[in-house]
Amino acid sequence: MSSHDKQRAQWPLIEDLNVFVTVVRKESFAHAAADLGLSPSYVSKRIALLEKSLGMRLFHRSARSIWLTADGHKALSGAIAVLDSMGEFVSGLADWRNAIEGNIHISCSFGFGSAYMADALSALAQRYPALNVKLTLTDLVVDLVEEGVDVEIHIGDDVKDLYITRKLSSNRRVLCAAPRYLEQYGTPDRIGDLKQHKCLVIQERNAQFGVWPLTDGHDSTQLHIRSQLSSNSGSVVLNWALNGHGIILRSLWEVQHYLASGELVRILPPWHQTANIWAVYSNRTSGSARLRACIEFLLAYFQQHPPVTGE
């Protein structure tokens, strides 16, 4: 083996540099492991191998915390520069090929997927004709890694910390009911009045059944409501509300048409539940050129075609 080959064999791996930078950013081996989708022991092993290849100690460690050594600070700036250069290298190759191609698997709920993602992905396919797009609609909790999903379009701010998120659009869930229901049972004046009303509940993925977390921008509450009718289908629950069966808590993108037509009436207007629309993906796919292209396209698309047009 030549001296050059020996030197190259000792170069640190890009993976180890990424682990190192993530540990510094998260200030914890365990938190970095969760962010990367790895085990804490594997992260410790990669850092140990990086320290061996660099011939320096990167961290001071105590029982409760870690912090960079002087060598670690110097190595951090170099690691960031290398990772940035690698990103530019990969992007440059993609630009050189002048094509985004391959397969991308997207997951979304039935309601938003049918109403908005179909058109958005139609436009994406026109923009990138060499990109093969698979859209899976499900109202179940999605494990991106286990199910091989590249990106989930998620409604709500209850996203696992181990995933990476990009906000596509603002949204909130609001309280509303049909005029015929309010004529029969009255309009609630205070948030606590909802306990005496018929509420229509949708079991949303892993959300606690019969509990509505609400805020008016100042105060927050976990409202326990009673329900005669419930379903795991948002369209079924919306249909019940339109037929006067009770009060619903639904996304503005879903009910704004009915609010504008008067088929539904918003009640207790200050109270709502924040439920923004996110592109969610894992660190496993974060370096994919086609994933970046897809997400950037969706960001621009929903800026031009916002699902929520106002309150």
Side-chain angles (χ1 to χ4, degrees):
M1 181 183 293
S2 68
S3 59
H4 177 74
D5 290 337
K6 290 180 180 179
Q7 180 184 16
R8 187 170 59 186
Q10 296 175 353
W11 287 351
L13 300 177
I14 290 292
E15 175 192 1
D16 293 346
L17 295 179
N18 184 52
V19 169
F20 170 50
V21 171
T22 305
V23 170
V24 175
R25 180 164 55 88
K26 292 294 183 178
E27 300 180 336
S28 162
F29 279 51
H31 291 164
D35 187 66
L36 294 168
L38 304 172
S39 68
S41 61
Y42 185 77
V43 168
S44 296
K45 178 182 177 181
R46 298 320 307 178
I47 293 298
L49 290 173
L50 179 60
E51 289 180 325
K52 182 178 179 180
S53 66
L54 294 176
M56 61 179 63
R57 187 177 181 183
L58 300 174
F59 292 101
H60 295 296
R61 300 169 175 84
S62 70
R64 296 186 177 181
S65 63
I66 61 171
W67 62 99
L68 286 170
T69 63
D71 287 338
H73 280 287
K74 179 65 175 177
L76 177 62
S77 61
I80 292 173
V82 170
L83 291 173
D84 287 345
S85 296
M86 180 58 69
E88 292 174 2
F89 168 71
V90 173
S91 297
L93 285 180
D95 292 340
W96 176 73
R97 295 176 69 192
N98 195 28
I100 297 296
E101 59 186 16
N103 303 320
I104 190 161
H105 186 184
I106 299 173
S107 172
C108 186
S109 65
F110 277 99
F112 192 80
S114 300
Y116 294 98
M117 288 305 296
D119 288 342
L121 297 184
S122 174
L124 176 69
Q126 290 179 338
R127 173 64 180 83
Y128 299 112
L131 187 64
N132 303 317
V133 182
K134 176 183 178 181
L135 174 64
T136 297
L137 300 183
T138 177
D139 287 326
L140 300 176
V141 177
V142 175
D143 186 313
L144 301 183
V145 177
E146 288 291 328
E147 298 176 42
V149 173
D150 296 302
V151 58
E152 178 192 8
I153 308 303
H154 183 84
I155 313 299
D157 293 357
D158 54 334
V159 182
K160 292 181 180 179
D161 291 339
L162 60 90
Y163 292 141
I164 304 167
T165 59
R166 296 286 298 276
K167 184 178 175 182
L168 298 180
S169 184
S170 297
N171 177 56
R172 57 178 53 180
R173 296 187 178 108
V174 298
L175 297 159
C176 46
R180 60 188 289 188
Y181 173 86
L182 299 176
E183 290 169 4
Q184 184 174 358
Y185 296 99
T187 301
D189 296 317
R190 297 175 299 177
I191 194 66
D193 293 345
L194 290 179
K195 295 179 180 180
Q196 311 305 320
H197 279 263
K198 295 181 178 182
C199 296
L200 304 172
V201 176
I202 177 172
Q203 181 65 60
E204 298 218 86
R205 302 195 177 193
N206 58 344
Q208 187 176 357
F209 185 81
V211 178
W212 285 349
L214 296 165
T215 181
D216 63 356
H218 301 285
D219 298 320
S220 299
T221 184
Q222 294 272 341
L223 190 70
H224 293 260
I225 47 92
R226 61 188 182 92
S227 174
Q228 180 188 14
L229 293 171
S230 62
S231 174
N232 66 339
S233 169
S235 61
V236 169
V237 171
L238 177 58
N239 182 269
W240 286 336
L242 290 168
N243 283 287
H245 286 288
I247 297 170
I248 55 171
L249 177 68
R250 298 306 297 148
S251 284
L252 261 175
W253 63 261
E254 188 175 14
V255 299
Q256 57 191 348
H257 167 75
Y258 301 103
L259 294 173
S261 68
E263 294 172 85
L264 291 176
V265 176
R266 186 169 175 183
I267 61 175
L268 300 169
W271 290 92
H272 65 276
Q273 183 184 107
T274 303
N276 295 311
I277 302 163
W278 303 89
V280 181
Y281 54 101
S282 69
N283 187 270
R284 174 183 63 86
T285 56
S286 61
S288 164
R290 59 179 172 267
L291 176 68
R292 289 198 304 272
C294 175
I295 291 174
E296 293 301 327
F297 180 89
L298 292 176
L299 284 167
Y301 180 89
F302 285 118
Q303 285 180 355
Q304 297 175 6
H305 308 87
V308 179
T309 56
E311 294 190 50

